[in-house]
Amino acid sequence: MKLEVLPWIILFLPLLSAAVITLFTQRDKKLSAGISVFAVVVSFILTVIFVSAVGWEPAKRELALNWLDIGAFHVDFGLHFDPLSLAMMLIVTGVASLIHIYSIGYMNGDRGFSRFFACLSLFTFSMLGIVLANNFLQLFIFWELVGISSYLLVGFWYEKPSAADAAKKAFLTNRMGDFGFILGILTIWATLGSLNFGALQEKLVSDPHALGTVATIAGLLVFCGAVGKSAQFPLHVWLPDAMEGPTPVSALIHAATMVAAGVYMLCRILFLLNAPALEVISYIGGFTALLAALIAIQQNDIKRILAYSTLSQLGYMVMAVGLGGPTPAMFHLTTHAFFKALLFLGSGSVILATHHEQDIWKMGALRKKTPVTFWTFMIATLALCGMWPFSGFYSKDSILGLAMERHNHILLGVGLFVAILTAFYMFRLVFVVFYGSTKSDHAEHAHESPAVMLWPLRILAILSLIAGFIGVEGIFTRQFPAENAEAAAGFSQYLFAPFIHAPWAASAGLVALAIGFFAAFALYAKADKDPLVEKLGPLSRAMRNRFYFDELYEATFIRLHDTLAAIANWFDRWIIEGACIGFLRGGTDLTGRALRLFQTGNLQTYAFLFALGVAALLFWILGK
Amino acid sequence: MALNDTIFYIFAALSVICGVMILVSRNPVTSAMFLVLTIASLAGLFALLHAFFLAAIQILVYAGAVMVLFLFVIMLLDLKVEERRKIKKFGAIAGLVSVGAIFAIFLKSLSVSHLAGNSVLTTEGSTIELGKLLFSQYLLPFEIVSVLLLVAMISVILLSKKDLK
Amino acid sequence: MNLSLMSLEVCVVALGLVLLLADLWLPVERKRALGYAAAAALALLLLASATGFGSCSVQGNAFNGMFVQDNLSIFFSRFFLLAAIPVLILAVEFSDRIAAGISEYYSLMIFALAGMLFAASTNNFAVLFVSVELITITFYVLTSFQRARMVSLEAGVKYLIIGALSSAFMVYGIALVYGISGTFSFTELAAVAPQFAGNKIFLFGLLLVLAGLGFKVAAFPFQIWVPDVYQGAPTPTTTFLAIGSKAAGFVLLLRVLFIAVPAVTIHWTYLLIAISAATILYGNLCALPQRNLKRLLGYSGISHAGYSLLGVAALSAAGQAATLYYLSGYLFTIIAAFSVVALVMRHLETEDISGLAGLSQRSPFLAATMAVAMVSLAGIPPLAGFFGKFLLLKAVVEQGAGNHAYYYLAFIALAGVIVSIYYYFGVIRAIYWSKGSDLSPIPVSVPMRLSLYGCMAGIFYLGIFPGPLVNWTLEAVKVLKF
Amino acid sequence: MNVGLQHYLVVSALLFCIGLLGVIMRRNVLVIYMSLELMLNAANLALVSFSRFNNNLDGQVFVFFIITVAAAEVAVGLALIVALYRKRQTAHVEDLTTMKL
Amino acid sequence: MSILTYIFGLPLAAAVVLALVPRNFRVIMRLVAILATLASAVLAIIMFAKFQTHFAGYQFEQQVEWVKAVGISYHVGADGINVGLILMGAIVAFAAACCSWEIKEREKEFYILLLVMSGGIIGAFASLDLFLFYFFHELALVPTFIMIGLWGRGERRNYAAFQITIYLSVGALIALIGLIALYLQSGAHTFDIPALTDYIAKNPLPANVQQFIFPLLLFGFGILVSLWPFHSWAPIGYGSAPTPTAMLHAGVIKKFGLYGLIRIALPMMPHAAQSWMQIIAWLALGNLIYCGWVAMRQKDFNWLVGYSSVAHMGFIFLGIATLSLIGVTGAVLVMVAHGFLAALTFALSGYIHEQTGTLEMRKLGGLLFKLPFIGAALIMAAFAGCGLPGFANFAGEITVFFGAWNEFRIVTILACWGAMVIGAVYMLRAIRTMLHAELPEKWANIMDAPHIWRKLPFVLLLTALLVFGCLPRLLTDKIKPSAWNIVQLANPIVAKNADLKTAQANAADAAIKQEIQNIPAGSQSDTAIRETAVKEQQ
């Protein structure tokens, strides 16, 4: 078998499984799950084989088939291999494999079991498509396909109105981002005449000003896509709602992979972005990180806390890209994929343990009852908060270091403050859920999850622990050579690298962690209800209400659109249909009725009209 | 020629006045009588135009047959004086205006048109001449008219049958 | 004198006489079937004419040029014969509603037909006058034939008065035309007309003649009698009036305008356009709120006269041919429509559209026939009405390049078609989707069924295979100027 | 001024118009019918005078046809009116409006 | 005889056969209708498969004299522009015949009308003679009216039937005037489209004549396609139509006007076309945005779909307005895609209506529980409707955007908004209200499509959407050469500049293909013979 066939198999195997499940094995739940898991695991294994075969060479390789070719509009369906995409493939198939396995346990007994796996497979296919896309339009196509999968999975329990609404909201919000995205693609295509990343890069390398005046706007328009998919401010509102989906979905799509696609895409098209665009991107990222972290402090739903945490971390990544550091961004993306997936899966385990209870104030003291969950959750929390030597420490440090390197003190400050907040809200969560007293019956009768769910937790825990110092960063540096690259050679060097490269950032990060931890400990170690609600007062309410963004959008944007729709509808009904057509109809009818009045039935009238007709006829011809 | 002119004016005035009387008299019998007079004066004009045969026919057929038919019907139906219903003024005025318009246009056209008007008038509407023409040149319409008369005959019989079987 | 040219007309007149005579000897109960015999005889004559038997299709003049037999007259004589056959069959069907003199009814129809045949061959104002009178006077009687019904008599009187009025105008017009030109003959008139084209009395006379013929074809503003007469007359009469009398008007109009005085006609572009447009609009608009089916068909008849006038107004051979084509399509369509009306409304006092309700259950055949007829009248393919309208529009638009008024005319015609679709589909709606209370089946006799089949075949044939007739109409109008 | 063709034509037109007015303004069907006869007679006068001044007998022949046709028409018309009267007991046009609009 | 004649002749012949079948043989009538449309669909697929890609001329041609005096002939043929439409028409006709289960009364009339409609519209797409083209379209149009009136639903169906009848007749007649004027002004004395096009290409019409005729065709055809603001017949019409009628009309017949614009108006009146395109683009925006907004406010699902189908026409108009190869190709692609989509959506809504008796969205909800298959198909249709990739609509719409971007920047941006956001809003809202959330008690007894035969039409249409969505080149490679011909005629300047390279490539391509064509082989022999004949003439 040729090596070129492998990626196609990797890509299409999940799709095939989705199709087979949908068409043939809807009834047989076990078989469906088996097919789906088999497909994604095989994809993962093949990816590993492929990666080991081709290595991490930055040399670009492409496989392409022509998809559409009309004049200047030429779109390939191509696969693009470089360290960026290969690493992302590994992450996607790997995390997806684990979550697929986890889902067997989590979704056990659900009536949409087969459907769930079909959608999950479809998602895996779409996500791989984004990763492998070699041109803008293909990227856009898969971009939309992950949107579909997300919609289907968020609305998986469609009988719940909140889930159905959340799915719709997620999709529509994403669509607004995609609107900018497609405009960006159009602009770039119209200016540079190509959609292929390689070709575009070549053009821009040979002539950096090829985009001319539209450079900034094109970059920002493309960034819009990332804003939507990665839920950056101002389109961040959909992600917390998307937690209505089953927890594995939150873990896979709304934590590990899909939401990271925006960051991935920005790295992929980094060559297009000029300085002003990057600046905007970095500030949007920073602001999102801050905003989300603040909101997370006062959330009580375990998944929502994690969702805001995700937002916040995505903000970090986007900020990193904006600061011109794709490597830190991708590094953080990788580690975040592991520990955030782990956190979600852990929370899923907790939720399952407490019989679908999601309010953290109704849990408590779960440490003993769900030990595996607790320990893995703890590892993930530490990773997220940036505790040495957990993976999050390294990746977060690289971002903070980048900010410092760029002398962007505002963003550095934001980053550190967010790090404090992160530690605070995560430990708040840990203390309330796992320590303290049991706060409800469900928590009283909690039990540990089945093994099929615990093994993915364990594997992810290991990954969260080690991902920071096994050289992940190195993969990305191959693609984006750093300015002062010092290739770390060995394991121990990796382990202590941050302290050597950017000691200030590393220690500042650790200090921030400590501040956050102690604050949380002080406030929540024994609390039965949230003390901050009273202490912060209105601020707390604002935080709990997500700073009223939903309401704001509801009142402005959605209201505006609905008003326009109402006006259009009114116009259509009363002006076009009513006035114009009604006038024509009524006018014609009335004319008919009026003309008919001449037919009085009276001979004299008839004779008179006849004579009048003759007179008119004569006058017409002879009257002049 | 003065005599002819005088006769013309007399007959013309007579016919027009009688025509107006048809229009204005309330009793159908009176109208019919005035129509007879008009027809008779027209016959006079025909004679003046040397259409002697037609003048005779006019009297015989029209005044003699047609008008008698009319009177007969009037008597048969025992038509009284037209009831004095309110005359629709608007109708009358509109009628007058439209007819007036036709007449005005006719006069105007007449005033600007060149008429053939031969100075030497040779036509004599004698029976022989007419007969010749009728049975040679105009044989076809003549025959068609015969069919027409047949139709009229059948029709009248049909329409006047008292019982509807 | 070439009398043999008139063999067809002579035969028809003879047929009328034979019918009258046969009436004397036939027992009452068999008089009804006389109509079938007459129809069969006419069919034979039509066959003779179509096959060129005898001198039915020999071209030439007779009676010192008063009578011409050319392609136009041959076309129309076949047209009239074709129209008369189903009308007679319908009359037989209708005979139970005619109290007295059914064989006279047939023979009067035959005489009217003779009048039309003469009209088709007219080449002289004298023949024009007497043939028009023959047709009109016969129709006075035919209209008021249902003496038991008040409306029939009322329609008869109305037709009589307005008809006589129009005759008076026409006669006066003929007098003036004769006075200026000194001749009644179309041929001679054509030679001298150019020199009188500016003579106002001459034009005055021609306009009065036009008014008289306008009455016959039901052109605006001389259309006022149509609805009342169509409504009141016995349905076979209405049918014959709608197609025969109207077509006779058209052939005379064509002959006068395009044979006798083409030199004048050419100046009347706008007049003809206006008449045509007004006729179309008036007919269609008035039909819109109409509930009485016969009256509705009357109004629609006005509009169809308007459409046919499009071809006249176009002042081109294509237009004249289109008029002929359109009339041919109208022939089948209107006969089918009126036949259905006569059959369905047999026992109803008024011919309200609601009487059609449930027809699709009572007699799917009649329902389908009526629907096809309505669709054809509305001018929708693949039926005759469509191709006719297509040819007419084509002729009109063709003139549009030279005179933009024709474009407006085309649009007015379109507006008319649109309006007409509304009421024609109203009829279809009544047939198919109103629930009727009376669900008794409607019997249809075999000859009637054959006649309706014939009409349907004609409607479809002219819609789908227009080629032969188009060629023939183009041949027929070659005698006309332009 | 010598009496010429114009004079005859004016008279004939006058009669024609009077007849027309009669048709329009009178209510009795019989009178209307008489007015129509008057109109035909006006035409006759025109024809005869044209015939005379054109030195052409055709006009007179035409008058002959008109008279014949008019006679036939009158016969039919009167029969019709009589039939109507029998049915409706009226000869007024205003009563003949069962069909309208 | 050309295969095309069979494709539309079969349904028409079946209609005649049905007329002779007694009224109570219901199964036979249904069978005849389904078999006839199936055969026609299979033939259409064969024809599509045999179609020579990259060949710009007409294939499967047949020409027979009809009315010689007027220059009308029976002339059918397929090129890239109509090959997809014919295929789409035939498949949709089959699906519509399958969906005629819901008709329970007067089946005979219904099936006859349905077959006439199917045959008529496919015939209209296949014809290469102006008169025939119009003739067949009207033939297909009339049954629509009767079907809405007779088998329609809702209280306003009468009004709807008349509204659609009158409105569409207005459009058709205006277009007829335009066509006649075109025929007359060209001076070619033929209604034959290829001949006329060639003739006009050599003897262009004067500018003022073009300016006169083009609006007639534009607005005449525009009314037929529900060009804003002449769209108001569509929602009410589709809202009241029986399912098969709505499927055929919205899916297939509506494309006639667009096809006419592309086939006739653009190549024959380039001057006018260029000057009108700005206006068309803005009107297209009226469709896309305005009708999208109106759709957002609809309470009845069929009305919503009606408005959405109106909105989708905006893409096609926008594509046409570009007068560029990409735009026109995209427009044709959307035409085909939307045909399948509209038919699918109406088939689904018809199924739901049959089960629940209402399409008022507020009364529905949670239907996905009971109707997993139908619901899933509806969701997919909604996805296709808001332009998600994987479905043919996406390929078409995106192509249109790429074509329009350089010509009408602002319009394209707004159109994107309409496509990406507004379309998604109303489609997803509908899904949300109808399929999601709790199932009301009263719909507890509704049934999903029970067996494969009931599912067949939906599956077929979905498959078509997916196949062309994933492999758009199946269509675009066929469309491209023909679209190129048209664009060259319609917009020589742009064509020369923008697409020069493609043109040369295409020309070379076509030349090679032509060489191949010249060897008479099997089924292509008629085309090949025509080719040779052309050469000989030269």
Side-chain angles (χ1 to χ4, degrees), chain D residues 28-65:
Chain D
N28 191 317
V29 185
L30 274 170
V31 182
I32 289 176
Y33 216 60
M34 287 184 227
S35 308
L36 282 167
E37 293 307 316
L38 186 61
M39 288 170 79
L40 284 179
N41 272 301
N44 285 350
L45 178 59
L47 274 169
V48 171
S49 43
F50 277 130
S51 168
R52 169 77 178 159
F53 286 91
N54 280 358
N55 284 337
N56 181 333
L57 261 185
D58 292 338
Q60 295 199 17
V61 180
F62 205 95
V63 173
F64 177 79
F65 290 129

Side-chain angles (χ1 to χ4, degrees), chain A residues 66-73 111 137 140-141 144-145 148 151-152 158-159 161 164-165 168 171-172 175-176 178-179 182-183 185-187 189-190 195 557 561-562 564-566 568-569 571-572 576-577 581 585, chain E residues 159 163 167 229 231-232 290 293-294 296-298 307 326 329 368-369 383 386-389 394 398-399 401-402 405-406 413 416-417 419-420 422 424-425 428-429 431-432 436-438 469-470 472-473 476 480 502:
Chain A
N66 183 246
W67 185 67
L68 203 56
D69 178 31
I70 309 163
F73 181 48
R111 46 175 231 118
L137 199 72
F140 182 79
I141 288 172
E144 295 286 304
L145 284 180
I148 295 183
Y151 172 80
L152 293 174
Y158 53 82
E159 62 273 23
D165 285 336
K168 192 178 76 165
F171 189 84
L172 292 180
R175 268 267 150 142
M176 288 184 212
D178 297 347
F179 166 66
I182 190 72
L183 293 186
I185 295 176
L186 283 166
T187 315
W189 173 77
L195 289 166
F557 187 75
H561 227 245
D562 278 344
L564 283 172
N569 191 38
F571 187 82
D572 208 57
I576 292 189
E577 175 74 23
I581 295 179
R585 279 173 62 89
Chain E
Y159 177 81
Q163 168 97 325
Y167 222 133
H231 62 274
S232 60
Y290 170 95
W293 277 333
V294 182
M296 280 171 65
R297 302 289 298 182
Q298 296 310 308
Y307 272 108
I326 303 175
T329 311
L368 197 52
F369 262 119
F383 284 161
C386 47
L388 282 170
F394 171 79
I398 204 79
T399 312
F401 289 148
F402 274 85
W405 182 256
N406 282 327
I413 292 173
C416 276
W417 180 258
M420 305 282 297
I422 299 176
V425 168
L428 293 189
R429 276 186 186 174
I431 296 289
R432 164 74 184 78
H436 290 166
E438 294 287 344
C470 295
R473 275 186 65 184
T476 51
K480 218 165 40 175
T502 335

Side-chain angles (χ1 to χ4, degrees), chain A residues 46-70:
Chain A
L46 291 178
T47 312
V48 173
I49 295 172
F50 184 71
V51 169
S52 55
V54 299
W56 293 109
E57 289 310 310
K60 292 187 184 81
R61 271 179 301 239
E62 281 193 12
L63 301 171
L65 300 171
N66 183 246
W67 185 67
L68 203 56
D69 178 31
I70 309 163

Side-chain angles (χ1 to χ4, degrees), chain A residues 408-471:
Chain A
N408 193 328
H409 299 296
I410 301 171
L411 288 179
L412 179 65
V414 167
L416 284 171
F417 184 60
V418 171
I420 296 173
L421 292 176
T422 307
F424 178 77
Y425 65 71
M426 279 318 290
F427 282 105
R428 167 178 179 261
L429 174 63
V430 167
F431 286 131
V432 174
V433 172
F434 291 100
Y435 291 86
S437 53
T438 50
K439 298 170 188 83
S440 73
D441 285 349
H442 284 318
E444 198 76 45
H445 303 111
H447 55 83
E448 184 61 292
S449 303
V452 72
M453 288 169 67
L454 294 179
W455 276 107
L457 293 183
R458 291 182 179 122
I459 296 171
L460 281 171
I462 295 169
L463 285 171
S464 305
L465 183 61
I466 62 165
F469 47 81
I470 52 169

Side-chain angles (χ1 to χ4, degrees), chain E residues 164-291:
Chain E
I164 195 168
T165 309
I166 304 287
Y167 222 133
L168 293 187
S169 303
V170 172
L173 288 171
I174 294 177
L176 178 63
I177 295 261
L179 293 179
I180 293 176
L182 184 64
Y183 158 81
L184 292 168
Q185 295 288 347
S186 73
H189 296 294
T190 175
F191 278 96
D192 192 62
I193 293 176
L196 205 56
T197 315
D198 288 350
Y199 185 88
I200 288 178
K202 288 189 194 91
N203 317 289
L205 293 172
N208 59 339
V209 172
Q210 291 190 25
Q211 288 295 2
F212 172 73
I213 299 175
F214 191 82
L216 289 179
L217 290 185
L218 173 62
F219 290 110
F221 286 140
I223 289 173
L224 295 178
V225 195
S226 63
L227 174 65
W228 188 88
F230 309 110
H231 62 274
S232 60
W233 57 267
I236 184 169
Y238 297 151
S240 316
T243 309
T245 314
M247 286 169 74
L248 265 177
H249 194 279
V252 194
I253 298 183
K254 215 179 179 188
K255 308 296 175 298
F256 168 84
L258 297 159
Y259 174 66
L261 276 181
I262 296 179
R263 170 73 84 214
I264 296 159
L266 297 192
M268 298 196 194
M269 283 163 289
H271 179 81
Q274 285 159 37
S275 62
W276 272 91
M277 283 312 151
Q278 200 72 29
I279 294 166
I280 298 182
W282 283 97
L283 290 180
L285 209 54
N287 279 57
L288 275 167
I289 301 239
Y290 170 95
C291 290

